Amino acid sequence: FVPSSYNNIIMKLREHPISRVLYSHEDIASAVENVASAIHARFGTTQYENVIFLPCMTGAMFFASDVMRRLHQMLLEEEEVIVDLELGSCVATSYENVNASGVGSEKVKNVHVKGNVRGKTVVVIEDIVDTGNTLVTLCDTLYAQGAKDVHCATLLNKQARRREENTKAFERLLARENDAESKEEGLYIGIECEDEFVVGFGLDYNGAYRGLPYIGVLTEKAIREMI
């Protein structure tokens, strides 16, 4: 005799919504280390005083927690002092704009920033930068609120989805106080992401799968069932 509950578990495993693990927990840990090291190299111990970190909620909360924790560890290891890194948050709500042909594009509708950014360098922390629409709107909002400069740390960078106009906007908006010719220094990337529909470690689909400890590719069946 096999309990019906056991059969249900077997069926669920056979129909697992994740087709493959794209980036393991170890891959994510390596990305956190690389991003934290790049941020620390850019600002150093003495320049954090006028910096505020803004995780873009809710997706970036896992990545932001790990990055902030690692930055604190670096400061303790190097200086043996506790530096109070200022932390706020930001929320960007969006909607899908679909034309008569059924082609959609993300439109950012509203941005809310928690924290005083006036006169400060802002480091936005994202789970993923793809089309770039959200980040461009965030930059414009932050500069309108008096930010001195804006940088962005992202766990995933999906270059294949980037809109050309946003790539140009990044050159204008990110690290504009930097004297270097390349403005890419204002974008700290953990992983260059494949062009797949990914979930996990903060990334969700209709509110699901955000808590997975890895980043996986969602099956086409799972996507269809949740539309």
Side-chain angles (χ1 to χ4, degrees):
F1 172 73
V2 179
S4 59
S5 59
Y6 182 80
N7 288 330
N8 290 338
I9 291 172
I10 296 298
M11 184 62 69
K12 288 180 179 178
L13 289 174
R14 288 175 180 171
E15 298 180 358
H16 198 287
I18 306 299
S19 63
R20 64 189 175 104
V21 174
L22 194 59
Y23 305 113
S24 67
H25 185 72
E26 290 74 21
D27 293 329
I28 294 170
S30 178
V32 168
E33 181 68 24
N34 292 337
V35 168
S37 296
I39 293 173
H40 192 57
R42 170 62 179 81
F43 294 106
T45 307
T46 59
Q47 296 185 50
Y48 283 116
E49 184 177 339
N50 206 34
V51 175
I52 182 171
F53 293 85
L54 296 183
C56 195
M57 306 302 279
T58 302
M61 61 183 182
F62 294 97
F63 180 56
S65 296
D66 285 357
V67 168
M68 297 298 290
R69 185 162 45 244
R70 186 66 187 109
L71 286 174
H72 277 291
Q73 289 172 344
M74 289 177 175
L75 288 164
L76 282 171
E77 290 166 2
E78 291 182 10
E79 304 295 329
E80 297 184 352
V81 295
I82 296 176
V83 177
D84 185 19
L85 301 178
E86 187 175 359
L87 182 65
S89 65
C90 57
V91 178
T93 57
S94 60
Y95 65 95
E96 194 78 9
N97 185 34
V98 181
N99 62 23
S101 302
V103 178
S105 61
E106 183 189 45
K107 301 291 183 181
V108 181
K109 181 173 63 174
N110 197 11
V111 174
H112 176 71
V113 176
K114 183 178 180 180
N116 179 18
V117 303
R118 184 166 299 279
K120 298 175 183 176
T121 295
V122 179
V123 180
V124 174
I125 304 180
E126 279 275 24
D127 52 356
I128 187 169
V129 175
D130 43 29
T131 64
N133 289 347
T134 300
L135 182 54
V136 168
T137 303
L138 276 170
C139 286
D140 287 336
T141 300
L142 292 167
Y143 283 127
Q145 293 185 8
K148 178 183 178 183
D149 203 3
V150 179
H151 295 238
C152 177
T154 182
L155 173 58
L156 301 180
N157 181 50
K158 192 182 286 188
Q159 189 66 42
R161 296 285 179 174
R162 187 83 80 254
R163 297 173 66 93
E164 183 178 353
E165 63 267 30
N166 289 339
T167 297
K168 295 178 180 177
F170 287 170
E171 297 176 359
R172 172 176 56 87
L173 295 169
L174 290 175
R176 65 182 188 181
E177 294 291 317
N178 196 336
D179 293 331
E181 293 182 4
S182 174
K183 295 300 183 183
E184 290 301 315
E185 292 186 23
L187 185 60
Y188 311 102
I189 297 169
I191 299 172
E192 291 288 353
C193 185
E194 296 180 29
D195 190 14
E196 296 280 6
F197 200 117
V198 292
V199 294
F201 204 76
L203 293 139
D204 75 306
Y205 182 53
N206 287 347
Y209 313 115
R210 199 186 295 278
L212 295 175
Y214 55 81
I215 294 172
V217 178
L218 205 58
T219 63
E220 291 185 6
K221 180 181 179 182
I223 295 172
R224 290 195 305 270
E225 289 178 347
M226 295 188 69
I227 291 176

